[in-house]
Amino acid sequence: MTYRLNVAAVTVVPFISLLYVGCSLDPNAHTRAADNRHHERNGGHVVGKSRNETAEKHRTATRSAARRAPRRSAGKKIRAIFTPKACKLRKLPVHVRQPKLVRFVRMNGKPMWAYLYSRLMELWSADGSRKVASIQMPGTPLDSVQWPADSITVVFGRDRTHPRGRFLIYNYRFVNGTLRAARMYAPSTTRPDLNSLKVRGGKLYITHFLSKYVAQTMVYDMPGNKPRVLNKDKMLFDAEPVGNDMVFVRLYGDSPGSKGGAYFLSKNNKLQLKTVSGGRAVALADLDGSGKKRIYVADGWDKAYRDKARPYISVFEPGNPKLKDRLTMDSGFGVFHLIPADIDGDHQDELVAVTNTGIFTVDQASEVRHLGDIRGMASPVQVVDVDGDSMAEIVISEVPGYCEVK
């Protein structure tokens, strides 16, 4: 059996050293003079030679440490690294800059790659050889999804490189070879963070923060319609429709740092599920082909996540709060994404689980398989059939590539 993974290949920005050229015979005279002027302006003493030499040694040590430190991309803080025995990576062409997100889409029936930068989106042909269209964007993309057909919905907000971003939702339609933008949502929020974005039954479900602790889940029927708010709660992180009901997961409880959990919510009832603690994701899937879907909750989160959090997946029957099964990933301190998809072509879904250190699948027998290792916090993922072979690939982070895992 052969699995295929799409992973991110990170471009490395080379280290650039700055050279200062002076006319003095003393190589430290230029720097020392500048330090003297700075201290004199601020009422301080003049820097002597010994202190300046100490500072120069510190700068040299800092530059040496920077050369030895692991390289990171300028846009995102994560990169995917798979062990040589697990896969063979085939990279797609890398273009001008490092994108923050890459998504595989189909526009007017044609497969394309969407490259999302801080304020720019480009559509490229499936082989990466030709740019099809581009458009300016209003902010930093946090996540995106193809919804509805021939269009891309993008959520903007803040990240580590752009901490003052505004929370916005735009829909981009592909019409006559060009991208056209329409703003869908621009709330007034003091915390512009996205928790989850998913499409279920042709509807778009979005969970995002309104304030420091309170988040809401809303649903769109169509881009032009107003969203319906389904729930507001403290530290709400994800939601999944189960028939006419909903399942919600919370990262923490009512007080900061307390344990979260998951619960059913219907018109007349709220039923708490017996989870270990809080979670970040929830999914509904039929993995054994019985026609009976189960609820999978990313469980085990804790405030002291590096020491106490665990990468659990708790399994429940719809309408039953009792735990049916609990699965454990062999690495990571939390499960960040749960996506059901057929990745082996047997016409039966597996469950793709992404932790901060690895990618896993749960099969029909509830067996957990470690597909590969990643390093850093998990980014938004996409599970989609890229090459039309009825087997879904996993797309993570910036530049896409193909990885065969046996």
Side-chain angles (χ1 to χ4, degrees):
M1 185 178 294
T2 299
Y3 293 92
R4 291 187 181 178
L5 286 177
N6 275 10
V7 300
V10 173
T11 56
V12 177
V13 180
F15 182 84
I16 301 174
S17 59
L18 301 179
L19 302 179
Y20 293 92
V21 180
C23 298
S24 172
L25 296 178
D26 182 359
N28 294 324
H30 178 75
T31 304
R32 183 160 52 251
D35 290 343
N36 290 343
R37 290 192 297 271
H38 171 76
H39 283 273
E40 287 172 351
R41 284 195 301 267
N42 292 277
H45 62 274
V46 175
V47 179
K49 183 176 181 180
S50 60
R51 177 172 292 187
N52 187 74
E53 288 177 347
T54 302
E56 180 63 26
K57 290 181 180 179
H58 175 72
R59 284 191 290 269
T60 303
T62 302
R63 286 195 293 267
S64 300
R67 293 189 184 99
R68 295 192 300 268
R71 308 290 179 84
R72 288 185 176 183
S73 64
K76 294 183 72 66
K77 300 299 183 183
I78 72 109
R79 57 179 174 175
I81 299 177
F82 282 76
T83 58
K85 293 182 180 180
C87 73
K88 181 180 179 181
L89 180 65
R90 293 184 292 146
K91 301 177 183 178
L92 289 178
V94 178
H95 303 295
V96 180
R97 292 185 295 152
Q98 183 85 352
K100 287 187 171 294
L101 288 173
V102 168
R103 290 291 178 263
F104 181 81
V105 296
R106 293 186 182 274
M107 297 296 192
N108 298 332
K110 297 181 180 179
M112 300 181 188
W113 290 104
Y115 289 77
L116 284 76
Y117 303 91
S118 289
R119 292 185 176 271
L120 176 70
M121 177 165 58
E122 296 178 345
L123 291 182
W124 286 77
S125 58
D127 59 1
S129 63
R130 182 175 60 91
K131 183 166 69 174
V132 178
S134 64
I135 191 171
Q136 294 293 322
M137 298 193 302
T140 301
L142 302 180
D143 201 355
S144 66
V145 65
Q146 183 161 14
W147 178 85
D150 299 326
S151 67
I152 303 172
T153 298
V154 183
V155 179
F156 303 94
R158 68 176 181 179
D159 63 4
R160 293 181 180 179
T161 58
H162 300 83
R164 296 186 178 181
R166 184 184 177 189
F167 192 86
L168 299 168
I169 302 177
Y170 272 65
N171 182 259
Y172 294 89
R173 294 188 302 126
F174 187 67
V175 181
N176 297 327
T178 61
L179 287 167
R180 298 180 182 179
R183 190 168 72 175
M184 294 171 53
Y185 188 60
S188 177
T189 173
T190 58
R191 184 174 175 178
D193 294 336
L194 174 69
N195 295 343
S196 71
L197 176 70
K198 59 177 64 174
V199 177
R200 296 290 187 268
K203 299 179 181 180
L204 182 67
Y205 291 83
I206 302 169
T207 302
H208 72 98
F209 275 105
L210 295 172
S211 61
K212 186 175 182 179
Y213 298 112
V214 178
Q216 74 172 7
T217 298
M218 58 185 188
V219 59
Y220 275 95
D221 297 318
M222 288 297 293
N225 298 346
K226 290 185 177 181
R228 292 182 288 112
V229 176
L230 301 178
N231 190 22
K232 292 182 181 181
D233 205 344
K234 289 183 179 179
M235 301 306 294
L236 196 64
F237 248 75
D238 196 10
E240 182 77 16
V242 182
N244 296 325
D245 301 331
M246 295 289 299
V247 177
F248 297 95
V249 294
R250 301 169 66 192
L251 194 64
Y252 299 117
D254 291 332
S255 59
S258 61
K259 291 185 177 181
Y263 58 87
F264 283 105
L265 187 64
S266 63
K267 292 182 178 180
N268 303 318
N269 191 23
K270 180 178 179 180
L271 188 62
Q272 193 76 28
L273 301 181
K274 296 186 181 302
T275 58
V276 174
S277 59
R280 286 178 170 267
V282 58
L284 187 69
D286 174 18
L287 301 185
D288 58 7
S290 64
K292 198 174 182 180
K293 293 188 175 183
R294 294 185 175 92
I295 298 167
Y296 296 84
V297 177
D299 199 358
W301 188 257
D302 192 277
K303 183 179 180 180
Y305 56 89
R306 294 189 182 276
D307 299 322
K308 297 182 180 180
R310 296 293 181 267
Y312 296 145
I313 299 178
S314 295
V315 186
F316 300 90
E317 299 283 356
N320 190 345
K322 294 183 179 181
L323 180 69
K324 180 177 179 60
D325 196 5
R326 177 164 292 132
L327 311 173
T328 304
M329 313 300 108
D330 62 15
S331 68
F333 52 68
V335 177
F336 289 78
H337 304 287
L338 291 174
I339 303 176
D342 180 12
I343 64 172
D344 58 6
D346 64 351
H347 306 289
Q348 185 63 47
D349 282 349
E350 290 77 34
L351 186 66
V352 178
V354 183
T355 72
N356 62 301
T357 59
I359 298 178
F360 304 82
T361 59
V362 181
D363 63 13
Q364 291 84 350
S366 295
E367 293 184 0
V368 178
R369 177 173 178 175
H370 190 165
L371 295 185
D373 298 321
I374 61 174
R375 184 168 65 191
M377 302 298 284
S379 72
V381 299
Q382 180 191 22
V383 182
V384 60
D385 183 7
V386 173
D387 50 14
D389 61 353
S390 300
M391 293 188 293
E393 287 78 36
I394 303 172
V395 182
I396 292 185
S397 193
E398 296 97 352
V399 181
Y402 292 99
C403 184
E404 296 182 359
V405 180
K406 297 182 179 180

